[in-house]
Amino acid sequence: MTESFRRSGEYENPYQGDQQQYASSPVNPEWPPPPAYRPAQQQPVPQPVEPVAVAAGGGFHGDGGNGGGTAVQATVPGEAAPGAGPAEKKRTRGPIALLAAVAIVAAAIGGGTAYAFQELTGNDTVATSSTTTNVVPSSKKGDVAAIAAAVSPSVVEVSATLSDGSSTGSGVIITSDGEIVTNNHVISGAQSIKVTTSNGKSYTAKVVGTDSKKDLALLKLEGASGLTVASLGNSSGVQVGDTVVAIGSPEGLSGTVTSGIVSALNRDVTVSTDESQGQGGGGGGRWPFSFGGQQFNGDTGSSTTTYKAIQTDASLNPGNSGGALIDAGGNIIGINSAMYSASSSSSSGSSDAGSIGLGFAIPINTVKADLAKLRSGSTS
């Protein structure tokens, strides 16, 4: 509207002393009155509306150019034209309201997506994600100390009492009320199971389901709540050379952290499905497995299964089974399941045993795909 006044030439330059150029203008240069028409009505309209505008006190705000409707409506002197002020305010708030509505819809879509993913995985948290999140700050990505501090509370020690001894392994918390993923061979044949969290609190655990063909088991802690849940990442994006961290309880030393890289992918690792080959059995407590046609850590027996594994040079030792293999962002990308030990004889001294940088982990996508089956109580 200001622009339309300047084109009229009525009061742009009265204070510059050039009165001559306005000699033909009937307007007092001291203080020009407002024009006797609504600026928005410069466009052709069916009926002239200037008399109505003058009678109404010459308001400056138009109603959008609807001259036909305005011409037949009388206004009270001193009052703004109907719809003038409110209409302008509505127009001002319109874009803001639209943006707010868009934001609300976007938030609803985001929440719905997270909820849908939880329903598909059966998880009661949003920690499980197909997108790789940063559990540790971006500035700390790849920092082993930061990863260990963030993820250690989500890794537990699993102690199983067997008929012929005991078995020690690790597990990963996947729900705040105490669902634990571990290896089947850690709890195979167990008469009772105790789980200890990183803060030293112990729980009795029950087996919910097992899948010996994938060497996976799901436990449920009794009376647990408010546990720190691990973020399950996306193992399909793992590449050879990626930095990884392993957390577990080797030899009962809970919360042990080691680091390395992914040294190979899709390794065909063969493990036993026989309960008698549990971790407390052959190989001096080291879980036997077969790779490349060779037996490691003892005889796997006649009942075996083979799965595709992530190979890592992060140090794994007896007791790491069922623990977490973690990426640089703090997401779980695998469940540690097998390691090669230099000594395969139960009579050898402990100094001869230990990791030589050849460990294997079950990809986390395999675990997520198996959760529904495990939660259903399957014991295959």
Side-chain angles (χ1 to χ4, degrees), residues 59-80:
F60 282 95
H61 300 291
D63 60 356
N66 295 326
T70 304
V72 296
Q73 182 175 356
T75 58
V76 179
E79 292 185 357

Side-chain angles (χ1 to χ4, degrees), residues 130-220:
S130 59
T131 59
T132 301
T133 60
N134 284 324
V135 178
V136 297
S138 298
S139 61
K140 294 290 186 178
K141 187 174 182 180
D143 186 305
V144 176
I147 295 170
V151 184
S152 288
S154 302
V155 181
V156 300
E157 179 182 320
V158 178
S159 300
T161 300
L162 311 174
S163 60
D164 58 349
S166 63
S167 170
T168 300
S170 307
V172 176
I173 301 171
I174 62 169
T175 65
S176 59
D177 61 350
E179 282 189 348
I180 309 292
V181 169
T182 187
N183 286 140
N184 178 60
H185 74 256
V186 171
I187 53 87
S188 181
Q191 296 178 336
S192 64
I193 302 171
K194 183 180 75 171
V195 169
T196 305
T197 58
S198 63
N199 61 6
K201 189 171 183 178
S202 295
Y203 297 89
T204 297
K206 299 295 184 183
V207 177
V208 176
T210 60
D211 187 346
S212 61
K213 293 188 180 301
K214 295 180 181 178
D215 195 18
L216 293 172
L218 181 67
L219 310 179
K220 181 66 168 66

Side-chain angles (χ1 to χ4, degrees), residues 177-325:
D177 61 350
E179 282 189 348
I180 309 292
V181 169
T182 187
N183 286 140
N184 178 60
H185 74 256
V186 171
I187 53 87
S188 181
Q191 296 178 336
S192 64
I193 302 171
K194 183 180 75 171
V195 169
T196 305
T197 58
S198 63
N199 61 6
K201 189 171 183 178
S202 295
Y203 297 89
T204 297
K206 299 295 184 183
V207 177
V208 176
T210 60
D211 187 346
S212 61
K213 293 188 180 301
K214 295 180 181 178
D215 195 18
L216 293 172
L218 181 67
L219 310 179
K220 181 66 168 66
L221 306 187
E222 296 182 352
S225 64
L227 301 180
T228 302
V229 179
S231 173
L232 307 187
N234 182 6
S235 53
S236 66
V238 175
Q239 297 181 346
V240 173
D242 283 352
T243 298
V244 289
V245 172
I247 302 179
S249 303
E251 304 293 356
L253 302 174
S254 61
T256 296
V257 178
T258 57
S259 64
I261 63 168
V262 172
S263 51
L265 295 171
N266 299 317
R267 293 299 200 194
D268 289 322
V269 174
T270 301
V271 298
S272 173
T273 59
D274 190 348
E275 285 188 1
S276 65
Q277 291 284 71
Q279 195 172 0
R286 293 174 297 277
W287 181 241
F289 70 96
S290 173
F291 173 71
Q294 300 182 47
Q295 298 285 329
F296 299 94
N297 304 341
D299 188 358
T300 56
S302 59
S303 179
T304 62
T305 185
T306 301
Y307 58 82
K308 299 288 186 180
I310 299 171
Q311 181 179 313
T312 178
D313 68 353
S315 179
L316 301 180
N317 290 286
N320 272 113
S321 292
L325 188 67

